[in-house]
Amino acid sequence: MFIEYALGAFIIGGLLGFIRDYKASVKASSFMALIGSLALLGEVYNVYTNGPQRIDLYGVPLHVTGTSSVFLLIIGIVGTAASLYAISYMDIFEKTGKGWVYAIAYNTFLASMALVVTVDSMEYFVMSWELMTLSSFILVFFSEKARDVNASVKYYITMHFLDTIPLFLALGTAYSLVGSFEKLTFENIASAMATAPESTKIAFGGLLLVAFMAKAGIVPFQFWVAETYRAAPTSVSAVMAGAMEKVALYGLIVLIWKIVGSSYTLGVLIALLGAVTLTVGTLYALRETNAKRLLAYHSVGQMGYIWLGIGIGMALIPKGGALAAIGALGAFAGLFHALNHAIFKSSLFLSAGAVEYRTGTVDLDELGGLGKQMKLTALAALFGSLAIAGIPPFNGFISKWLIYVAGYQSGDFLLAFGAVLAAFISAATLASFVKFYGAQFGGEMKRYENVEEVPGTMVVGQWILAGLTLLIGIFPGTVTGILNVFNAPITDGVYKIGFGSVMFSPVLFVVLLAVLAIGLYLSFKPEFGKEAKPWDCGSTQIDEDEYRTNAEGYYNWYEEKIGSFYRLGDWFYRVGEAIIHYITRAYLWMASYFVKIVDTPYTRIEGLDDLRKGEILNADEEVIKPLLRFLRIAYDVLPGIRLGTFVVIALVVVGAVIGILMAL
């Protein structure tokens, strides 16, 4: 089976990390990750043509359903593009000298996501989920810069509190119902849940909902997203935003909707969470001047669109009849947008990474004029920007439009309001990407006049995704067969897609747009080749590179008008950040009683910097002090372990978990 080949390729890719040369290990492991991702796409085709597959992978039960294949498609597409891109992109981290860390963690990350969406046991679901979180944590602080390490630690602690604890409590709840770890299949849990008390269903569903909200960055658990995606290598950020967030959506559909069951109340709650999230994420992105943080906030916003569509389905499908058909349309549109978002958001991250590769920065205030030097990257970024803004004929328009249609036709005030809000926020998305694209590629800047296009693998990686934004936008029928697991009564084909009498023809739109463009060109006959110096208003002191509106100044007036919204949001962000800060301090305070700092045995530990200053000896000394003191006398002193070596410990855990899975 292709899924077995994929996991085998990922394991080989991790093992290739032990090649001592950094570039060789990174390139070889990235290539194997590319092979594994392509194998996942092969599994999607296999399921689409032959139906669901049940596989026993060394004792681990896998069930690749139609829903699983949708998420394998997402992981496969994003993994293929990002892995090819990383072959050259990861060269910028050569100074770290830790190619083996990247090779093991990156391949484990892809493998764990594939397992999460295919395992048929709650036990293995939680194990795979934790493996996904651990490997992504390692990748986030790969640069080893202090700010990136802080972001990664806060991300990991956040995931422990909002992901690990709820998931293990939910696992315990499922075990109490089924009574055996061997019987913890999703089918058995669903059967037991059908006769369980309502309080048990609420507790189980609530715990899972918190975990999936946190991983997807749904408000109010979005506070970790911006810094985490900024800190990670850009190819990793593309996978986290494009694929990892969607794994939480898989959990929402399979573990909450299909096991606990849906209801109007739960559906409206999911839809409203989506509406709030798409608003908050997009408006915060609008004021960002760091390209990766801007894209991160838009990931939050676009996940809001997806949850809105799924919420419409959860609310209306149980009602039956015509409303059930509208609900199925909403759920289909949400799933469609999940695929589209994975494609255009990963494409945009890779474009930002290409700019970073050549200029060394993602600060939009410092960029400009790159359109002439990096034409292929600029065009790919333009495609992605138009797609995320919902401009036809790109793929983002189709899925957003179907979400609007489902919301409008639901006949429910709250669901319709969410759809109207989503349509309005699309305008803010377009405004944000005018800044994103214009600040990097528009105008002219002498400081970047000698910049060159990025290497071929990076260009191809971008264009795999950028090309799909246009291909799916014009021919949505290429993917609707795989995506329509809710049996939505859509009309789709090569030339049109729609619901009932509401139809849209992408092909006809492209033809009309082409005729209009040719007509305008012939009418105005623009002249090329003429150059004129910009007017300096009489000044002789200003550098020509400063003759522009920088990213920070794009929407100052707008930001002032809704300043109260930002102030309230910033207050909530500070509260959340403070909570995580004190949780981190609590962890470190406890850790100070389990470690001994060289030359200062009882130094007070208040932050990560305090731990970085020294070497750590004698783990758990304060707990098993007598035994360790005996060992010190016997062996003189234990070898020191540097803080950076925590990476090694984490990777050993990853390897141990993989070994256990393989052995079982």
Side-chain angles (χ1 to χ4, degrees), residues 271-294:
L272 290 179
L273 285 171
V276 172
T277 299
L278 68 89
T279 302
V280 172
T282 304
L283 293 183
Y284 264 83
L286 192 59
R287 72 173 188 173
E288 273 296 336
T289 58
N290 179 288
K292 291 176 70 174
R293 284 178 59 90
L294 181 149

Side-chain angles (χ1 to χ4, degrees), residues 80 92 129 145 147 280 282 292 326 341 362 384 458-459 475 530 539 585 629:
T80 296
I92 66 176
W129 188 281
K145 295 178 182 177
R147 183 181 175 187
V280 172
T282 304
K292 291 176 70 174
I326 295 171
H341 174 248
V362 289
M458 294 177 68
V459 172
F475 305 109
K530 292 185 177 181
S539 171
R585 286 191 59 179
R629 285 184 175 174

